[in-house]
Amino acid sequence: MIGTDSHFLNTSQNHHQVNVCSTVPAACGQRDALQTPRLSTMSQTVPPVLSVHPSRSLVDEKLKVLVENLPPGSPVTLHSLHRSEDEHYWEAYGHYVSDHRGIVSVAEDSSVGGTYTGIESMGLLWSMRPVPGSRKGLRLRKMNVRSPMLFNISVYNGLITEGFREQTPLASALIERWYMAPGVQRIDIREKGVRGTLFIPPGPGPFPGLLDMWGGGGGLLEYRSSLLASRGFASFALEYFNSGELESAELEFSYFENAFSIVKDHPQVIPDKIGIFGLSLGSIMTVYLAAESTIVKPLCCVCVSASHFYPPGKNLHGVYEVMTMKPHMIRVDENGHHAWRDMGLEIIKEPSYRINVEKINCPMLLVNGLDDQNWPSVECADEIAQIMSAAGKGDLVTRLHYPDTGHLIEPPFSPHFRATKFKTATGKQKVILLWGGQTKPHSDAQEDSWRKILSFLQHHLYSRETPKARM
Amino acid sequence: MDRKQYCVKLSVQPSRGLVDEKFIVLVQNVSPGFQMTIHALHKCEDGHSYEAFAHYTANATGTVNVSEDPSLGGTYSGVEQMGLLWSLRPVPGSKPGLRLRKVNVQTPMEVTISVYQGHQTEGFMDQVPLVGVLVERWYMAPRVRRIPITENGLTATLFLPSGLGPFPGLLDLWGGEGKLIEYRAALLASHGIACLTLDYLTPEITMETGKMVDSQYIETAYRVLEQHPQVLGSRIAMLGLSLGASVTLKMAVYSQVMKLRCVVCISGSHVQPIDGFLEELLNFCRINSETKTRINEEDQVIYHDLLLPIPTDPALKVDVGRLQCPLLLVVGEDDQNWPAYESAIDMKEMMEKAGNSHLLTVLSYPNAGHLIEPPYTPHTRATAFLSVTSVKKVMALWGGETVAHSRAQEDAWRKTLAFLRENLYGSSNCGF
């Protein structure tokens, strides 16, 4: 019977702690198990069994982490470690006590300490943060979506809070987390002057399409699109200015219309079932396209941390100009982090900047964090809803807003960043921008909003029609 | 364009799983009562294609869930969550006698699951399905390490689980065809056991010298495991299938070197000359095959009687009454290749007489055949077989009826893992 041998069991407080590394004694050293005397017993003892299911999964899927064969009532630390593509280390950990069978089940047991507490089946992922000693303002993003993110899940003896790298775990397992399902096609797009990557779901198709736009950091971010394609939507991750080069972006409105057409015209995309997905600056473009374009007719829009201001007639460069008009309004907090929210509030007061959202004729899902410190996106969403209501189109707007949630609402289980380094449009300077949010509520918001976003897209882009009999 | 086409939503979860993990196939967004065929297609490494299919009718919410809804016909029927895998068979027009086996275990098996409209039975390749997804089935969990072993004249591969260990170990032996078969060892390593799969019939050394190996070869392999820094030397098991089980029983009882925690024999027999080793065992089989091989009307070869009747002469069977560690016997009652069932009965008797039958567990499956493999491996009743004792390939009859055999594979695997876990991870000592 696993874990109930008399050598292990002792129901009194001073239970024997088995030295499980006896084959390599030098490596174990002394571990600080909390208040329990350690006893070196038999040699060749088998370590606890750690299993993580599934060992390969998509990033929005849940995991079951199980530790078995521990001594009963044993305090242990579950730890996750990830080495990012830019070679920074991220970690999370939770403190647990095994039950009478010597089992810890992360999905069912409560973490009593660590980077997360309570019953959190995915806490080992969403509560990750840079290891001590890391640079400030790091952000974890997968750039190459064709390979998985690797996470090392380990279980350590005792309740540990630091120095994981110097200790030997009782057991560990490696898991893969993918942004791309098997069979998803990745296509580089360089067409009509438009740059980006198109992801097509597996299968014969054709599929509904999405134009996917990120925010003011620029560059080409593929991970959300590859994940959307893994969920059945042909998704085009659009690059519309180089990383940190908003200042030089000369993009006209037509760039985005061309991008939309590229999706529409693709043989594996259903031309009249295309939506737009935008975050932050991307959502400005989303709202503007939906309202003003005569060419682009999205079937629905998702706007995360939306804004509805756009200096009329200007290209993207104009946006940059406006954004830098009132730098004195940037609030710098006690940590030296820049919050643009107040500056944003000032900027959006200008009526001529307001996009005519009442011209929008498609359903919109507005997702906001109530602690958005980067932009007054909540106020913007309020106003968008108001304007649409006044125009008799209130039923087109669905709002999701989350308390203690910041600006960067990403796919679920990715770590929360309250503030990260950002190459601002004002040249080469890097500052740390405050996005807002508290880790636990922000992570809950990411999980909840993703499910609802997929459901919204599913409903509008895959809406069921009565099938005709095929003879 | 038929707009209904893109309404259908198909998901298979997990899309990347280990070969012994279950998946959930879900079809949504069709109209209630919609008739469909769910189809699985796999193209093997050797270029042959296999397919399975089942007929379903959507419920009132326009959904089909393969783990809950019955198939109304196809290569399987009834509620069968994994039927799309275990009922795979060569596509029409294929060569007879094919067997689906993964050779390169470092890449996944890719299976395309698709939905076709209506209840169809053929011509899938000539149509475009409504929707399809790609599923990966892996024999190796992330960071399981594959290490070829050639030292000391061995032809073997070691699979180490991911993590630091140390891990319990297992020696894995296959049957009369020889060759180095890796997939079961890779899968066991994915479950935390350091597994060494050993080619003992056709290793380099035999191919070069023409001589069969002796029992020291097996002991050498055991030593390699025992002494490996990431293996717990006192927690080593042995698992053999078919002829491999014969070798396993021989070593488990008579080896002075090997101290096994437990033994698993699948479709095996204890009947063999006690004296000598492989050479003698193969001769024994060869001699008997001259008079006891049967051929049925379909020209399929039945080797079942080669070891029958079970001898009473103690020189002709491994004395399992001397076994000192737990033994798990897995047998199919419709085994046409080897008298595993009859042997199991005799072994039980011997152990009862000797007083060590408390070590014995027998898993006996009605209508299961000889090739009891990891779960969801497609069942074949007869396949082309070239044993090391013959010069030409025959169509060997393995036996088994597909549904019963598939159930047996699933059940036996689960119980084998539990048996190994209990004996390799538990702290009771070997022997009493």
Side-chain angles (χ1 to χ4, degrees):
Chain A
M1 207 92 84
I2 295 167
T4 58
D5 178 71
S6 57
H7 280 100
F8 292 90
L9 245 191
N10 187 323
T11 51
S12 76
Q13 278 289 77
N14 296 328
H15 66 258
H16 299 301
Q17 196 72 28
V18 175
N19 181 347
V20 296
C21 280
S22 54
T23 53
V24 193
C28 293
Q30 296 285 300
R31 259 179 261 105
D32 264 23
L34 215 63
Q35 293 155 3
T36 47
R38 260 154 287 113
L39 213 68
S40 189
T41 57
M42 57 183 117
S43 64
Q44 298 270 291
T45 322
V46 181
V49 179
L50 170 66
S51 57
V52 185
H53 283 123
S55 51
R56 293 179 177 90
S57 51
L58 290 177
V59 295
D60 58 357
E61 287 168 358
K62 289 197 169 186
L63 298 171
K64 280 204 161 66
V65 180
L66 196 66
V67 189
E68 296 169 285
N69 217 41
L70 288 164
S74 195
V76 292
T77 304
L78 271 162
H79 180 260
S80 63
L81 183 70
H82 171 72
R83 183 162 171 245
S84 67
E85 285 162 324
D86 53 4
E87 313 213 344
H88 294 287
Y89 285 92
W90 295 71
E91 68 175 3
Y93 59 92
H95 292 156
Y96 293 89
V97 180
S98 64
D99 67 9
H100 68 281
R101 302 165 300 170
I103 293 178
V104 170
S105 165
V106 173
E108 296 164 322
D109 300 344
S110 202
S111 159
V112 297
T115 57
Y116 67 97
T117 54
I119 301 174
E120 296 288 348
S121 63
M122 300 300 287
L124 284 166
L125 290 184
W126 58 250
S127 73
M128 290 186 98
R129 75 265 175 109
V131 296
S134 298
R135 269 190 10 215
K136 297 262 169 288
L138 291 176
R139 190 168 167 184
L140 182 58
R141 316 184 88 173
K142 190 78 165 76
M143 299 310 283
N144 177 5
V145 297
R146 281 169 291 190
S147 64
M149 285 176 85
L150 299 176
F151 292 87
N152 220 311
I153 311 288
S154 309
V155 57
Y156 290 83
N157 205 6
L159 305 183
I160 303 177
T161 53
E162 57 180 4
F164 292 94
R165 305 281 291 284
E166 288 84 52
Q167 305 194 48
T168 309
L170 299 175
S172 63
L174 189 79
I175 60 165
E176 296 178 0
R177 299 280 285 172
W178 290 80
Y179 277 98
M180 247 168 98
V184 167
Q185 271 181 276
R186 181 187 172 279
I187 305 168
D188 284 308
I189 300 283
R190 295 282 183 276
E191 218 181 291
K192 301 182 189 174
V194 172
R195 300 179 321 271
T197 314
L198 179 60
F199 291 90
I200 311 275
F207 307 96
L210 281 172
L211 179 60
D212 179 23
M213 295 182 287
W214 282 92
L220 179 55
L221 293 160
E222 299 186 352
Y223 58 90
R224 191 169 61 200
S225 278
S226 63
L227 193 58
L228 287 164
S230 304
R231 296 293 173 207
F233 305 95
S235 190
F236 184 24
L238 182 66
E239 182 174 14
Y240 51 106
F241 58 98
N242 290 332
S243 185
E245 288 173 25
L246 180 55
E247 177 176 6
S248 54
E250 294 285 321
L251 293 171
E252 302 279 339
F253 190 51
S254 55
Y255 184 85
F256 301 90
E257 293 181 314
N258 286 342
F260 191 93
S261 313
I262 287 172
V263 183
K264 191 167 162 203
D265 296 339
H266 195 280
Q268 277 177 287
V269 176
I270 305 161
D272 54 356
K273 295 230 167 196
I274 306 187
I276 310 181
F277 196 135
L279 177 139
S280 192
L281 182 59
S283 69
I284 295 180
M285 300 321 303
T286 305
V287 172
Y288 196 57
L289 281 168
E292 295 295 341
S293 176
T294 48
I295 304 169
V296 166
K297 297 274 175 261
L299 208 56
C300 65
C301 294
V302 176
C303 298
V304 177
S305 303
S307 190
H308 61 305
F309 92 94
Y310 190 89
K314 307 247 185 185
N315 58 25
L316 218 57
H317 187 256
V319 172
Y320 149 75
E321 271 178 20
V322 168
M323 298 257 294
T324 54
M325 257 159 52
K326 309 192 185 213
H328 54 280
M329 296 229 57
I330 294 175
R331 182 169 50 86
V332 180
D333 73 1
E334 63 276 9
N335 296 315
H337 300 160
H338 290 217
W340 288 358
R341 189 186 137 71
D342 296 342
M343 174 182 80
L345 270 171
E346 195 58 35
I347 288 172
I348 64 174
K349 279 182 187 160
E350 173 56 52
S352 69
Y353 293 166
R354 206 166 284 133
I355 299 172
N356 299 322
V357 296
E358 66 279 1
K359 290 160 83 173
I360 295 177
N361 284 320
C362 68
M364 293 177 71
L365 181 67
L366 305 177
V367 183
N368 295 100
L370 296 176
D371 188 38
D372 189 338
Q373 293 298 321
N374 180 255
W375 205 251
S377 56
V378 178
E379 286 82 349
C380 289
D382 284 342
E383 213 174 75
I384 293 173
Q386 221 170 22
I387 296 171
M388 292 292 275
S389 223
K393 295 178 179 177
D395 58 339
L396 288 179
V397 178
T398 309
R399 297 190 57 188
L400 301 173
H401 39 243
Y402 301 95
D404 293 320
T405 298
H407 186 77
L408 298 176
I409 302 176
E410 301 237 24
F413 316 128
S414 39
H416 163 246
F417 322 103
R418 189 169 163 78
T420 65
K421 268 220 174 82
F422 192 81
K423 213 161 148 197
T424 66
T426 58
K428 320 298 168 242
Q429 188 203 4
K430 267 196 181 176
V431 297
I432 295 191
L433 284 192
L434 186 67
W435 307 109
Q438 300 300 326
T439 296
K440 164 77 177 143
H442 188 97
S443 301
D444 286 344
Q446 291 190 153
E447 198 184 330
D448 189 74
S449 62
W450 184 249
R451 200 178 47 247
K452 289 179 170 143
I453 288 169
L454 287 180
S455 175
F456 173 84
L457 291 173
Q458 169 79 15
H459 178 74
H460 291 291
L461 299 179
Y462 266 99
S463 58
R464 213 165 60 71
E465 291 166 304
T466 324
K468 303 178 198 53
R470 192 192 285 181
M471 288 300 132
Chain B
M1 188 211 298
D2 198 336
R3 289 174 69 83
K4 152 189 55 45
Q5 255 196 338
Y6 46 75
C7 290
V8 186
K9 209 161 190 292
L10 168 67
S11 73
V12 180
Q13 217 133 317
S15 50
R16 294 179 176 92
L18 288 180
V19 295
D20 59 354
E21 281 173 0
K22 293 194 171 185
F23 55 39
I24 297 179
V25 179
L26 192 62
V27 184
Q28 294 168 296
N29 247 26
V30 293
S31 49
F34 184 79
Q35 295 193 335
M36 68 180 73
T37 304
I38 303 184
H39 181 266
L41 180 70
H42 168 66
K43 190 153 181 226
C44 205
E45 289 157 314
D46 57 11
H48 293 111
S49 291
Y50 292 75
E51 69 173 2
F53 58 90
H55 299 152
Y56 290 91
T57 299
N59 63 14
T61 63
T63 304
V64 169
N65 182 338
V66 173
S67 45
E68 293 171 354
D69 301 332
S71 154
L72 306 166
T75 56
Y76 66 91
S77 60
V79 181
E80 296 290 350
Q81 181 168 1
M82 301 303 289
L84 286 165
L85 288 184
W86 58 250
S87 74
L88 282 170
R89 77 244 179 128
V91 295
S94 298
K95 245 170 64 178
L98 291 174
R99 187 172 166 190
L100 179 53
R101 310 186 91 179
K102 191 84 167 63
V103 176
N104 179 0
V105 296
Q106 292 174 297
T107 58
M109 256 182 87
E110 291 188 343
V111 182
T112 303
I113 310 272
S114 310
V115 177
Y116 290 83
Q117 186 178 4
H119 289 169
Q120 307 197 40
T121 53
E122 53 180 6
F124 295 100
M125 297 300 96
D126 307 320
Q127 303 175 53
V128 176
L130 297 176
V131 68
V133 295
L134 189 68
V135 177
E136 291 179 1
R137 304 288 290 172
W138 290 81
Y139 280 97
M140 272 169 78
R143 213 182 267 165
V144 162
R145 288 151 289 171
R146 178 184 174 274
I147 304 161
I149 305 278
T150 49
E151 73 216 48
N152 300 342
L154 294 175
T155 299
T157 311
L158 174 63
F159 289 92
L160 287 176
S162 84
L164 296 162
F167 312 100
L170 185 144
L171 203 50
D172 185 23
L173 267 53
W174 284 86
E177 214 167 13
K179 301 193 278 186
L180 187 53
I181 315 247
E182 297 190 351
Y183 56 87
R184 189 170 59 200
L187 192 57
L188 286 168
S190 303
H191 285 278
I193 302 172
C195 211
L196 187 108
T197 176
L198 182 65
D199 180 1
Y200 60 96
L201 280 177
T202 57
E204 288 280 326
I205 203 162
T206 294
M207 304 314 281
E208 279 164 23
T209 63
K211 288 183 61 182
M212 290 279 145
V213 301
D214 58 18
S215 61
Q216 283 176 342
Y217 179 86
I218 316 287
E219 288 170 343
T220 302
Y222 170 87
R223 279 252 193 267
V224 166
L225 254 188
E226 194 204 16
Q227 288 162 1
H228 195 284
Q230 279 174 286
V231 176
L232 293 159
S234 67
R235 290 169 186 259
I236 297 180
M238 195 162 171
L239 187 154
L241 176 135
S242 193
L243 199 71
S246 307
V247 175
T248 298
L249 284 168
K250 191 89 176 270
M251 304 305 297
V253 172
Y254 299 111
S255 170
Q256 300 295 316
V257 167
M258 295 172 60
K259 299 278 170 269
L260 299 169
R261 273 304 263 239
C262 64
V263 171
V264 180
C265 290
I266 303 174
S267 304
S269 175
H270 59 320
V271 175
Q272 58 186 287
I274 295 192
D275 286 330
F277 193 56
L278 276 181
E279 200 76 65
E280 288 72 12
L281 170 55
L282 293 173
N283 277 335
F284 182 72
C285 293
R286 209 179 274 120
I287 290 169
N288 289 345
S289 72
E290 280 157 21
T291 50
K292 294 187 178 176
T293 306
R294 282 189 281 133
I295 303 193
N296 66 11
E297 311 92 57
E298 285 112 318
D299 254 351
Q300 295 163 340
V301 177
I302 300 168
Y303 289 123
H304 174 267
D305 301 345
L306 251 58
L307 303 179
L308 293 179
I310 304 283
T312 44
D313 179 358
L316 288 176
K317 37 189 197 176
V318 172
D319 186 2
V320 288
R322 285 171 48 177
L323 194 59
Q324 292 187 324
C325 65
L327 170 65
L328 177 70
L329 295 178
V330 179
V331 305
E333 289 171 18
D334 190 42
D335 190 333
Q336 298 295 320
N337 182 258
W338 214 230
Y341 178 67
E342 294 86 342
S343 303
I345 293 177
D346 191 64
M347 280 193 259
K348 184 157 185 268
E349 257 178 50
M350 288 173 78
M351 290 175 80
E352 274 163 356
K353 274 206 190 97
N356 66 345
S357 62
H358 59 282
L359 293 174
L360 177 66
T361 308
V362 180
L363 302 176
S364 179
Y365 296 99
N367 297 317
H370 185 73
L371 298 176
I372 300 178
E373 300 244 37
Y376 323 126
T377 305
H379 165 248
T380 29
R381 204 167 149 76
T383 64
F385 179 70
L386 177 64
S387 104
V388 289
T389 55
S390 29
V391 285
K392 67 173 173 48
K393 267 196 178 173
V394 298
M395 199 62 73
L397 185 67
W398 308 110
E401 179 276 308
T402 296
V403 177
H405 188 93
S406 301
R407 299 240 192 285
Q409 289 187 153
E410 205 182 325
D411 189 70
W413 184 251
R414 195 175 54 245
K415 290 182 169 141
T416 299
L417 286 180
F419 174 80
L420 288 172
R421 263 279 200 104
E422 187 167 314
N423 286 287
L424 292 175
Y425 280 84
S427 51
S428 53
N429 284 323
C430 175
F432 288 82

